[in-house]
Amino acid sequence: MRVTIAEVARRARVSKTTVSRVLNNKSDVDAATAVRVREVIAATGYIPSAGAVGLAKGRTRLVGVLVPGLSPAGVGEVLQGVADVVEESDHGLLLSTAARGADSLERFTHQVRAHAFDGLLLLDPPPAVTDNDALRDADLPVVVVDGARSAFPSVTGDDAAGAAAVARHFLERGRRRVAVVTGPGEHAASRLAGFRSVLEEAGSPLTGNAVTEAASTAGSGRSAVRRLVASGHGFDAVFACDDVVAAGVLTGLREAGRTVPGDVAVAGFGDLPLAAFTHPPLTTVRRPSRALGETAARRLLGKLTGDTPLDGVTVLPTELVVRESAP
């Protein structure tokens, strides 16, 4: 059944006149009320009539942000970078997550069709989002943060170069029997590829037993060490493609009677806050999380406010941070 303006007004606890004024971007509606009305429009999938040209032409002064969830590592820093830039521009943020799978995708589709925002930032979106028909047909400015192989303009960190820096660091310290705990997804694959390429150039290629996969949890990192030990692969260094996994690797090595960094050097990826407080503190690769959010937001706002061309990929540098786990 088609959602009516009366239903939007009822859910938003305002009059139909107020909804109409929000649709036409009138300045005499207070900001909190306007945001509430637009959230209801997005949630219900209400499509304004042809007369509601204000919203339909994209003058909400809202930037939509879709994230996988609020708990994944690094999301908060990226969002802070987005917020710093967007709020300076006198735009608002409409935040959604993809945490509920198909239900989240349906809500997101309603938001796109209802023109609930002027432009959209997607953080590490799944293919179901970037391949969404409504998004492709919406003629909506979109920038993706860390979107692997996205067809949309994107901003990402140079993960392959960061992992290559870890490999060179290990080799320079005489660590040539290296193991890798990788993870699912294309980001982990990029890190593994960058790491692997340096070892191959140095004549110390990774063998099959040297690489094992883990989920992005400390428990998985701990279990990965058990598998490596049981495989009989001798190793004097471990690169984990995620700091959380690396923390589990440290625990697994202690349980196996291996000292760090005496017997085994360990490095992670991300430079999450926990990296400085593991035992010992973790050598890792710092991703420019806040700068990713800032850069993506600036690119999107450049399109919204100045019609700056929006295309291509912006790659930001990563940085090796050396601590006691692999000095």
Side-chain angles (χ1 to χ4, degrees):
M1 184 174 66
R2 180 179 175 84
V3 178
T4 66
I5 193 171
E7 176 65 9
V8 172
R10 184 186 69 78
R11 294 194 185 199
R13 303 185 303 281
V14 297
S15 68
K16 289 191 292 184
T17 300
T18 297
V19 174
S20 178
R21 299 192 74 77
V22 171
L23 293 175
N24 286 283
N25 207 36
K26 299 295 185 180
S27 60
D28 56 354
V29 180
D30 72 86
T33 299
V35 167
R36 188 168 74 248
V37 170
R38 288 182 180 125
E39 286 178 341
V40 171
I41 289 170
T44 60
Y46 171 67
I47 306 298
S49 66
V53 293
L55 190 60
K57 288 186 177 180
R59 293 198 296 264
T60 67
R61 298 197 68 80
L62 285 176
V63 170
V65 183
L66 181 70
V67 300
L70 298 179
S71 57
V75 168
E77 278 292 296
V78 175
L79 285 177
Q80 188 60 62
V82 170
D84 289 344
V85 172
V86 170
E87 290 172 1
E88 283 180 3
S89 73
D90 197 30
H91 283 69
L93 287 174
L94 182 59
L95 175 66
S96 301
T97 78
R100 294 192 301 133
D103 288 344
S104 296
L105 181 59
E106 182 179 3
R107 175 182 168 83
F108 169 74
T109 301
H110 285 324
Q111 290 176 328
V112 171
R113 287 177 173 156
H115 301 276
F117 27 68
D118 295 347
L120 179 63
L121 295 171
L122 302 173
L123 176 55
D124 196 14
V129 171
T130 51
D131 294 340
N132 183 276
D133 289 338
L135 182 59
R136 288 201 304 265
D137 297 341
D139 192 27
L140 183 73
V142 177
V143 176
V144 176
V145 182
D146 281 337
R149 300 181 185 177
S150 171
F152 294 101
S154 62
V155 179
T156 190
D158 197 344
D159 285 8
V166 174
R168 285 191 290 270
H169 180 73
F170 281 164
L171 292 171
E172 288 166 1
R173 275 124 184 101
R175 310 277 184 167
R176 305 186 74 85
R177 294 178 294 118
V178 180
V180 177
V181 183
T182 187
E186 296 198 32
H187 294 303
S190 176
R191 295 166 194 175
L192 176 58
F195 188 85
R196 187 191 295 274
S197 67
V198 171
L199 294 182
E200 289 177 348
E201 289 174 5
S204 299
L206 293 169
T207 64
N209 287 341
V211 180
T212 187
E213 185 170 319
S216 295
T217 66
S220 289
R222 180 185 182 190
S223 298
V225 171
R226 293 174 180 167
R227 292 196 300 274
L228 287 169
V229 171
S231 74
H233 173 72
F235 56 92
D236 59 10
V238 177
F239 171 49
C241 292
D242 179 299
D243 280 349
V244 175
V245 173
V249 167
L250 292 174
T251 298
L253 289 170
R254 282 196 298 272
E255 293 175 345
R258 310 285 180 92
T259 63
V260 177
D263 296 327
V264 182
V266 177
F269 205 104
D271 197 27
L272 301 179
L274 70 85
F277 299 100
T278 56
H279 179 66
L282 188 64
T283 290
T284 186
V285 176
R286 179 175 296 152
R287 297 193 87 239
S289 297
R290 186 171 296 202
L292 289 171
E294 293 171 346
T295 304
R298 288 194 184 100
R299 289 193 63 186
L300 183 64
L301 289 168
K303 176 65 174 178
L304 295 179
T305 62
D307 205 30
T308 303
L310 194 59
D311 54 24
V313 180
T314 300
V315 181
L316 302 185
T318 50
E319 176 189 358
L320 180 65
V321 179
V322 177
R323 298 192 180 98
E324 287 87 335
S325 72

